[in-house]
mmCIF file of all heavy atoms in Angstrom:
data_model
loop_
_atom_site.group_PDB
_atom_site.id
_atom_site.type_symbol
_atom_site.label_atom_id
_atom_site.label_comp_id
_atom_site.label_asym_id
_atom_site.label_seq_id
_atom_site.Cartn_x
_atom_site.Cartn_y
_atom_site.Cartn_z
ATOM 1 N N ASN A 1 0.829 -1.210 0.000
ATOM 2 C CA ASN A 1 0.000 0.000 0.000
ATOM 3 C C ASN A 1 0.861 1.257 0.000
ATOM 4 O O ASN A 1 0.539 2.260 0.649
ATOM 5 C CB ASN A 1 -0.950 0.008 1.198
ATOM 6 C CG ASN A 1 -2.087 1.005 1.019
ATOM 7 O OD1 ASN A 1 -2.654 1.125 -0.070
ATOM 8 N ND2 ASN A 1 -2.433 1.711 2.069
ATOM 9 N N LEU A 2 1.947 1.199 -0.755
ATOM 10 C CA LEU A 2 2.831 2.358 -0.878
ATOM 11 C C LEU A 2 2.362 3.282 -1.995
ATOM 12 O O LEU A 2 1.823 2.831 -3.011
ATOM 13 C CB LEU A 2 4.271 1.900 -1.156
ATOM 14 C CG LEU A 2 4.964 1.107 -0.045
ATOM 15 C CD1 LEU A 2 6.305 0.606 -0.532
ATOM 16 C CD2 LEU A 2 5.132 1.964 1.212
ATOM 17 N N ALA A 3 2.588 4.558 -1.823
ATOM 18 C CA ALA A 3 2.244 5.532 -2.852
ATOM 19 C C ALA A 3 3.218 5.422 -4.028
ATOM 20 O O ALA A 3 4.321 4.890 -3.902
ATOM 21 C CB ALA A 3 2.284 6.943 -2.267
ATOM 22 N N LYS A 4 2.797 5.939 -5.167
ATOM 23 C CA LYS A 4 3.618 5.829 -6.376
ATOM 24 C C LYS A 4 4.952 6.553 -6.231
ATOM 25 O O LYS A 4 5.959 6.100 -6.766
ATOM 26 C CB LYS A 4 2.854 6.404 -7.573
ATOM 27 C CG LYS A 4 1.609 5.616 -7.943
ATOM 28 C CD LYS A 4 0.912 6.252 -9.133
ATOM 29 C CE LYS A 4 -0.361 5.476 -9.497
ATOM 30 N NZ LYS A 4 -1.070 6.099 -10.640
ATOM 31 N N GLN A 5 4.949 7.683 -5.512
ATOM 32 C CA GLN A 5 6.169 8.495 -5.408
ATOM 33 C C GLN A 5 7.154 7.997 -4.355
ATOM 34 O O GLN A 5 8.204 8.603 -4.168
ATOM 35 C CB GLN A 5 5.824 9.963 -5.126
ATOM 36 C CG GLN A 5 5.018 10.200 -3.860
ATOM 37 C CD GLN A 5 3.528 10.220 -4.118
ATOM 38 O OE1 GLN A 5 3.019 9.420 -4.890
ATOM 39 N NE2 GLN A 5 2.831 11.143 -3.473
ATOM 40 N N VAL A 6 6.824 6.909 -3.680
ATOM 41 C CA VAL A 6 7.739 6.383 -2.660
ATOM 42 C C VAL A 6 9.003 5.832 -3.320
ATOM 43 O O VAL A 6 8.931 5.068 -4.275
ATOM 44 C CB VAL A 6 7.058 5.278 -1.822
ATOM 45 C CG1 VAL A 6 8.061 4.637 -0.873
ATOM 46 C CG2 VAL A 6 5.900 5.853 -1.033
ATOM 47 N N GLN A 7 10.146 6.219 -2.772
ATOM 48 C CA GLN A 7 11.439 5.758 -3.274
ATOM 49 C C GLN A 7 12.211 5.059 -2.154
ATOM 50 O O GLN A 7 11.805 5.078 -0.995
ATOM 51 C CB GLN A 7 12.244 6.948 -3.821
ATOM 52 C CG GLN A 7 11.574 7.666 -4.978
ATOM 53 C CD GLN A 7 12.373 8.844 -5.468
ATOM 54 O OE1 GLN A 7 13.458 9.135 -4.947
ATOM 55 N NE2 GLN A 7 11.863 9.539 -6.472
ATOM 56 N N GLU A 8 13.337 4.482 -2.542
ATOM 57 C CA GLU A 8 14.151 3.765 -1.554
ATOM 58 C C GLU A 8 14.623 4.688 -0.431
ATOM 59 O O GLU A 8 14.684 4.291 0.733
ATOM 60 C CB GLU A 8 15.356 3.124 -2.248
ATOM 61 C CG GLU A 8 14.981 1.970 -3.160
ATOM 62 C CD GLU A 8 16.208 1.308 -3.769
ATOM 63 O OE1 GLU A 8 17.339 1.720 -3.404
ATOM 64 O OE2 GLU A 8 16.049 0.388 -4.579
ATOM 65 N N LYS A 9 14.952 5.932 -0.768
ATOM 66 C CA LYS A 9 15.441 6.871 0.251
ATOM 67 C C LYS A 9 14.357 7.158 1.299
ATOM 68 O O LYS A 9 14.664 7.384 2.476
ATOM 69 C CB LYS A 9 15.903 8.172 -0.397
ATOM 70 C CG LYS A 9 14.813 8.947 -1.103
ATOM 71 C CD LYS A 9 15.356 10.235 -1.706
ATOM 72 C CE LYS A 9 14.246 11.038 -2.380
ATOM 73 N NZ LYS A 9 14.781 12.309 -2.939
ATOM 74 N N ASP A 10 13.080 7.129 0.871
ATOM 75 C CA ASP A 10 11.989 7.360 1.817
ATOM 76 C C ASP A 10 11.894 6.219 2.831
ATOM 77 O O ASP A 10 11.712 6.452 4.031
ATOM 78 C CB ASP A 10 10.662 7.502 1.067
ATOM 79 C CG ASP A 10 10.664 8.695 0.120
ATOM 80 O OD1 ASP A 10 11.222 9.744 0.487
ATOM 81 O OD2 ASP A 10 10.115 8.565 -0.989
ATOM 82 N N LEU A 11 12.027 4.994 2.342
ATOM 83 C CA LEU A 11 11.981 3.838 3.236
ATOM 84 C C LEU A 11 13.244 3.735 4.076
ATOM 85 O O LEU A 11 13.208 3.281 5.226
ATOM 86 C CB LEU A 11 11.782 2.561 2.420
ATOM 87 C CG LEU A 11 10.458 2.481 1.641
ATOM 88 C CD1 LEU A 11 10.389 1.194 0.845
ATOM 89 C CD2 LEU A 11 9.261 2.599 2.584
ATOM 90 N N LYS A 12 14.346 4.169 3.530
ATOM 91 C CA LYS A 12 15.594 4.168 4.294
ATOM 92 C C LYS A 12 15.508 5.170 5.439
ATOM 93 O O LYS A 12 16.014 4.923 6.536
ATOM 94 C CB LYS A 12 16.771 4.519 3.386
ATOM 95 C CG LYS A 12 18.120 4.464 4.093
ATOM 96 C CD LYS A 12 19.262 4.777 3.138
ATOM 97 C CE LYS A 12 20.597 4.702 3.859
ATOM 98 N NZ LYS A 12 21.731 5.013 2.966
ATOM 99 N N PHE A 13 14.840 6.282 5.192
ATOM 100 C CA PHE A 13 14.646 7.301 6.224
ATOM 101 C C PHE A 13 13.831 6.760 7.396
ATOM 102 O O PHE A 13 14.029 7.145 8.553
ATOM 103 C CB PHE A 13 13.943 8.518 5.607
ATOM 104 C CG PHE A 13 13.613 9.589 6.607
ATOM 105 C CD1 PHE A 13 14.603 10.378 7.180
ATOM 106 C CD2 PHE A 13 12.303 9.830 6.991
ATOM 107 C CE1 PHE A 13 14.302 11.362 8.104
ATOM 108 C CE2 PHE A 13 11.987 10.812 7.910
ATOM 109 C CZ PHE A 13 12.996 11.584 8.467
ATOM 110 N N ILE A 14 12.925 5.838 7.103
ATOM 111 C CA ILE A 14 12.064 5.270 8.141
ATOM 112 C C ILE A 14 12.701 4.055 8.801
ATOM 113 O O ILE A 14 12.834 3.984 10.020
ATOM 114 C CB ILE A 14 10.696 4.894 7.549
ATOM 115 C CG1 ILE A 14 9.973 6.156 7.059
ATOM 116 C CG2 ILE A 14 9.838 4.169 8.589
ATOM 117 C CD1 ILE A 14 8.720 5.876 6.274
ATOM 118 N N PHE A 15 13.120 3.090 7.987
ATOM 119 C CA PHE A 15 13.613 1.818 8.539
ATOM 120 C C PHE A 15 15.097 1.866 8.894
ATOM 121 O O PHE A 15 15.601 0.947 9.540
ATOM 122 C CB PHE A 15 13.361 0.694 7.538
ATOM 123 C CG PHE A 15 11.902 0.354 7.380
ATOM 124 C CD1 PHE A 15 11.146 0.925 6.364
ATOM 125 C CD2 PHE A 15 11.277 -0.526 8.244
ATOM 126 C CE1 PHE A 15 9.808 0.623 6.210
ATOM 127 C CE2 PHE A 15 9.929 -0.834 8.105
ATOM 128 C CZ PHE A 15 9.194 -0.255 7.088
ATOM 129 N N GLY A 16 15.779 2.912 8.497
ATOM 130 C CA GLY A 16 17.201 3.023 8.825
ATOM 131 C C GLY A 16 17.462 3.205 10.303
ATOM 132 O O GLY A 16 18.561 2.933 10.785
ATOM 133 N N ARG A 17 16.441 3.638 11.050
ATOM 134 C CA ARG A 17 16.605 3.845 12.484
ATOM 135 C C ARG A 17 16.759 2.533 13.235
ATOM 136 O O ARG A 17 17.145 2.513 14.403
ATOM 137 C CB ARG A 17 15.413 4.638 13.038
ATOM 138 C CG ARG A 17 14.120 3.856 13.122
ATOM 139 C CD ARG A 17 12.950 4.772 13.456
ATOM 140 N NE ARG A 17 13.180 5.526 14.664
ATOM 141 C CZ ARG A 17 12.904 5.111 15.894
ATOM 142 N NH1 ARG A 17 12.392 3.909 16.068
ATOM 143 N NH2 ARG A 17 13.128 5.861 16.933
ATOM 144 N N TYR A 18 16.461 1.412 12.583
ATOM 145 C CA TYR A 18 16.568 0.103 13.224
ATOM 146 C C TYR A 18 17.870 -0.608 12.858
ATOM 147 O O TYR A 18 18.029 -1.791 13.132
ATOM 148 C CB TYR A 18 15.379 -0.772 12.825
ATOM 149 C CG TYR A 18 14.055 -0.115 13.123
ATOM 150 C CD1 TYR A 18 13.298 0.469 12.112
ATOM 151 C CD2 TYR A 18 13.563 -0.064 14.423
ATOM 152 C CE1 TYR A 18 12.090 1.090 12.383
ATOM 153 C CE2 TYR A 18 12.360 0.555 14.706
ATOM 154 C CZ TYR A 18 11.632 1.137 13.676
ATOM 155 O OH TYR A 18 10.436 1.758 13.957
ATOM 156 N N VAL A 19 18.785 0.120 12.243
ATOM 157 C CA VAL A 19 20.055 -0.459 11.805
ATOM 158 C C VAL A 19 21.200 0.322 12.428
ATOM 159 O O VAL A 19 21.181 1.556 12.475
ATOM 160 C CB VAL A 19 20.173 -0.430 10.269
ATOM 161 C CG1 VAL A 19 21.485 -1.053 9.819
ATOM 162 C CG2 VAL A 19 18.991 -1.155 9.628
ATOM 163 N N ASP A 20 22.206 -0.401 12.914
ATOM 164 C CA ASP A 20 23.413 0.223 13.438
ATOM 165 C C ASP A 20 24.439 0.304 12.304
ATOM 166 O O ASP A 20 25.077 -0.685 11.957
ATOM 167 C CB ASP A 20 23.960 -0.591 14.611
ATOM 168 C CG ASP A 20 25.185 0.056 15.231
ATOM 169 O OD1 ASP A 20 25.498 1.213 14.870
ATOM 170 O OD2 ASP A 20 25.847 -0.593 16.068
ATOM 171 N N PHE A 21 24.568 1.490 11.722
ATOM 172 C CA PHE A 21 25.437 1.657 10.562
ATOM 173 C C PHE A 21 26.911 1.655 10.918
ATOM 174 O O PHE A 21 27.759 1.649 10.032
ATOM 175 C CB PHE A 21 25.075 2.954 9.821
ATOM 176 C CG PHE A 21 23.800 2.841 9.031
ATOM 177 C CD1 PHE A 21 22.581 3.125 9.614
ATOM 178 C CD2 PHE A 21 23.822 2.429 7.708
ATOM 179 C CE1 PHE A 21 21.400 3.020 8.901
ATOM 180 C CE2 PHE A 21 22.650 2.312 6.982
ATOM 181 C CZ PHE A 21 21.435 2.613 7.575
ATOM 182 N N GLN A 22 27.224 1.646 12.195
ATOM 183 C CA GLN A 22 28.618 1.517 12.607
ATOM 184 C C GLN A 22 29.098 0.075 12.457
ATOM 185 O O GLN A 22 30.292 -0.186 12.419
ATOM 186 C CB GLN A 22 28.784 1.976 14.054
ATOM 187 C CG GLN A 22 28.511 3.464 14.254
ATOM 188 C CD GLN A 22 28.669 3.890 15.695
ATOM 189 O OE1 GLN A 22 28.851 3.046 16.576
ATOM 190 N NE2 GLN A 22 28.606 5.187 15.946
ATOM 191 N N SER A 23 28.154 -0.834 12.366
ATOM 192 C CA SER A 23 28.486 -2.248 12.197
ATOM 193 C C SER A 23 28.411 -2.610 10.709
ATOM 194 O O SER A 23 27.394 -2.391 10.051
ATOM 195 C CB SER A 23 27.515 -3.117 12.998
ATOM 196 O OG SER A 23 27.738 -4.482 12.727
ATOM 197 N N GLU A 24 29.482 -3.156 10.182
ATOM 198 C CA GLU A 24 29.505 -3.546 8.769
ATOM 199 C C GLU A 24 28.503 -4.654 8.488
ATOM 200 O O GLU A 24 27.873 -4.694 7.427
ATOM 201 C CB GLU A 24 30.914 -3.990 8.374
ATOM 202 C CG GLU A 24 31.945 -2.871 8.408
ATOM 203 C CD GLU A 24 33.312 -3.352 7.976
ATOM 204 O OE1 GLU A 24 33.435 -4.562 7.666
ATOM 205 O OE2 GLU A 24 34.245 -2.532 7.946
ATOM 206 N N VAL A 25 28.357 -5.560 9.448
ATOM 207 C CA VAL A 25 27.426 -6.679 9.270
ATOM 208 C C VAL A 25 26.003 -6.158 9.097
ATOM 209 O O VAL A 25 25.285 -6.567 8.179
ATOM 210 C CB VAL A 25 27.502 -7.649 10.472
ATOM 211 C CG1 VAL A 25 26.487 -8.762 10.321
ATOM 212 C CG2 VAL A 25 28.914 -8.217 10.597
ATOM 213 N N GLU A 26 25.587 -5.247 9.967
ATOM 214 C CA GLU A 26 24.226 -4.718 9.888
ATOM 215 C C GLU A 26 24.026 -3.879 8.628
ATOM 216 O O GLU A 26 22.953 -3.884 8.029
ATOM 217 C CB GLU A 26 23.905 -3.899 11.144
ATOM 218 C CG GLU A 26 23.830 -4.748 12.404
ATOM 219 C CD GLU A 26 23.141 -4.020 13.545
ATOM 220 O OE1 GLU A 26 22.626 -2.910 13.309
ATOM 221 O OE2 GLU A 26 23.103 -4.581 14.655
ATOM 222 N N ARG A 27 25.054 -3.161 8.244
ATOM 223 C CA ARG A 27 24.945 -2.373 7.002
ATOM 224 C C ARG A 27 24.750 -3.280 5.797
ATOM 225 O O ARG A 27 23.972 -2.979 4.892
ATOM 226 C CB ARG A 27 26.190 -1.516 6.803
ATOM 227 C CG ARG A 27 26.166 -0.212 7.579
ATOM 228 C CD ARG A 27 27.370 0.639 7.283
ATOM 229 N NE ARG A 27 28.597 0.017 7.771
ATOM 230 C CZ ARG A 27 29.813 0.526 7.585
ATOM 231 N NH1 ARG A 27 29.975 1.633 6.903
ATOM 232 N NH2 ARG A 27 30.877 -0.080 8.093
ATOM 233 N N ASN A 28 25.454 -4.379 5.787
ATOM 234 C CA ASN A 28 25.316 -5.323 4.670
ATOM 235 C C ASN A 28 23.965 -6.036 4.697
ATOM 236 O O ASN A 28 23.398 -6.352 3.645
ATOM 237 C CB ASN A 28 26.448 -6.351 4.706
ATOM 238 C CG ASN A 28 27.810 -5.716 4.464
ATOM 239 O OD1 ASN A 28 27.916 -4.704 3.767
ATOM 240 N ND2 ASN A 28 28.855 -6.296 5.034
ATOM 241 N N MET A 29 23.442 -6.281 5.885
ATOM 242 C CA MET A 29 22.148 -6.941 6.015
ATOM 243 C C MET A 29 21.000 -6.023 5.590
ATOM 244 O O MET A 29 19.964 -6.476 5.125
ATOM 245 C CB MET A 29 21.929 -7.389 7.460
ATOM 246 C CG MET A 29 22.839 -8.532 7.907
ATOM 247 S SD MET A 29 22.393 -10.099 7.142
ATOM 248 C CE MET A 29 20.830 -10.423 7.957
ATOM 249 N N PHE A 30 21.186 -4.728 5.762
ATOM 250 C CA PHE A 30 20.124 -3.759 5.447
ATOM 251 C C PHE A 30 19.955 -3.647 3.934
ATOM 252 O O PHE A 30 20.869 -3.275 3.208
ATOM 253 C CB PHE A 30 20.474 -2.403 6.057
ATOM 254 C CG PHE A 30 19.377 -1.382 5.925
ATOM 255 C CD1 PHE A 30 18.091 -1.660 6.340
ATOM 256 C CD2 PHE A 30 19.643 -0.127 5.387
ATOM 257 C CE1 PHE A 30 17.082 -0.720 6.227
ATOM 258 C CE2 PHE A 30 18.643 0.816 5.273
ATOM 259 C CZ PHE A 30 17.364 0.523 5.692
ATOM 260 N N ASP A 31 18.760 -3.980 3.481
ATOM 261 C CA ASP A 31 18.493 -3.985 2.036
ATOM 262 C C ASP A 31 17.062 -3.518 1.781
ATOM 263 O O ASP A 31 16.135 -3.920 2.489
ATOM 264 C CB ASP A 31 18.705 -5.394 1.479
ATOM 265 C CG ASP A 31 18.474 -5.447 -0.023
ATOM 266 O OD1 ASP A 31 18.684 -4.411 -0.695
ATOM 267 O OD2 ASP A 31 18.076 -6.507 -0.533
ATOM 268 N N ILE A 32 16.888 -2.657 0.782
ATOM 269 C CA ILE A 32 15.563 -2.142 0.436
ATOM 270 C C ILE A 32 15.317 -2.350 -1.060
ATOM 271 O O ILE A 32 16.152 -1.993 -1.890
ATOM 272 C CB ILE A 32 15.440 -0.643 0.765
ATOM 273 C CG1 ILE A 32 15.610 -0.416 2.272
ATOM 274 C CG2 ILE A 32 14.086 -0.097 0.307
ATOM 275 C CD1 ILE A 32 15.639 1.037 2.664
ATOM 276 N N ARG A 33 14.170 -2.934 -1.360
ATOM 277 C CA ARG A 33 13.787 -3.143 -2.755
ATOM 278 C C ARG A 33 12.347 -2.681 -2.944
ATOM 279 O O ARG A 33 11.416 -3.266 -2.379
ATOM 280 C CB ARG A 33 13.918 -4.622 -3.135
ATOM 281 C CG ARG A 33 15.358 -5.113 -3.119
ATOM 282 C CD ARG A 33 15.463 -6.551 -3.556
ATOM 283 N NE ARG A 33 16.820 -7.047 -3.456
ATOM 284 C CZ ARG A 33 17.208 -8.269 -3.789
ATOM 285 N NH1 ARG A 33 16.292 -9.154 -4.208
ATOM 286 N NH2 ARG A 33 18.465 -8.646 -3.673
ATOM 287 N N VAL A 34 12.185 -1.640 -3.729
ATOM 288 C CA VAL A 34 10.859 -1.087 -4.006
ATOM 289 C C VAL A 34 10.411 -1.570 -5.382
ATOM 290 O O VAL A 34 11.118 -1.392 -6.375
ATOM 291 C CB VAL A 34 10.880 0.451 -3.965
ATOM 292 C CG1 VAL A 34 9.498 1.019 -4.249
ATOM 293 C CG2 VAL A 34 11.387 0.935 -2.610
ATOM 294 N N MET A 35 9.247 -2.174 -5.416
ATOM 295 C CA MET A 35 8.693 -2.683 -6.673
ATOM 296 C C MET A 35 7.849 -1.597 -7.346
ATOM 297 O O MET A 35 6.952 -1.035 -6.720
ATOM 298 C CB MET A 35 7.840 -3.928 -6.405
ATOM 299 C CG MET A 35 8.564 -5.001 -5.604
ATOM 300 S SD MET A 35 10.070 -5.588 -6.401
ATOM 301 C CE MET A 35 10.701 -6.704 -5.149
ATOM 302 N N LYS A 36 8.134 -1.331 -8.607
ATOM 303 C CA LYS A 36 7.433 -0.259 -9.320
ATOM 304 C C LYS A 36 6.854 -0.722 -10.661
ATOM 305 O O LYS A 36 6.366 0.093 -11.438
ATOM 306 C CB LYS A 36 8.377 0.921 -9.550
ATOM 307 C CG LYS A 36 8.832 1.594 -8.264
ATOM 308 C CD LYS A 36 9.694 2.794 -8.548
ATOM 309 C CE LYS A 36 10.103 3.493 -7.257
ATOM 310 N NZ LYS A 36 10.944 4.689 -7.509
ATOM 311 N N GLU A 37 6.905 -2.009 -10.900
ATOM 312 C CA GLU A 37 6.405 -2.509 -12.177
ATOM 313 C C GLU A 37 5.479 -3.702 -11.947
ATOM 314 O O GLU A 37 5.647 -4.466 -11.001
ATOM 315 C CB GLU A 37 7.572 -2.919 -13.080
ATOM 316 C CG GLU A 37 8.461 -1.758 -13.486
ATOM 317 C CD GLU A 37 9.613 -2.199 -14.379
ATOM 318 O OE1 GLU A 37 9.736 -3.424 -14.608
ATOM 319 O OE2 GLU A 37 10.375 -1.339 -14.830
ATOM 320 N N GLY A 38 4.513 -3.840 -12.855
ATOM 321 C CA GLY A 38 3.609 -4.982 -12.821
ATOM 322 C C GLY A 38 2.723 -5.025 -11.593
ATOM 323 O O GLY A 38 2.365 -3.999 -11.016
ATOM 324 N N ARG A 39 2.393 -6.236 -11.207
ATOM 325 C CA ARG A 39 1.493 -6.419 -10.059
ATOM 326 C C ARG A 39 2.136 -6.047 -8.728
ATOM 327 O O ARG A 39 1.437 -5.873 -7.732
ATOM 328 C CB ARG A 39 1.034 -7.881 -10.008
ATOM 329 C CG ARG A 39 0.232 -8.314 -11.226
ATOM 330 C CD ARG A 39 -0.142 -9.773 -11.106
ATOM 331 N NE ARG A 39 -0.909 -10.237 -12.257
ATOM 332 C CZ ARG A 39 -1.328 -11.477 -12.434
ATOM 333 N NH1 ARG A 39 -1.037 -12.401 -11.504
ATOM 334 N NH2 ARG A 39 -2.008 -11.821 -13.503
#
C-alpha cells in the first residue's frame, strides 16, 4: 500500500533507524527493494 512516489530513500529514512550503521554486518544486512512494475 505504498504511494507511487515512494522511493528507496523514503523507506531508508524510516527503517534506517533500526540499523546500526557503525556495524559492517548490519549495514550489509540492510536492504531495500521497491517494486514499481507490474502487479
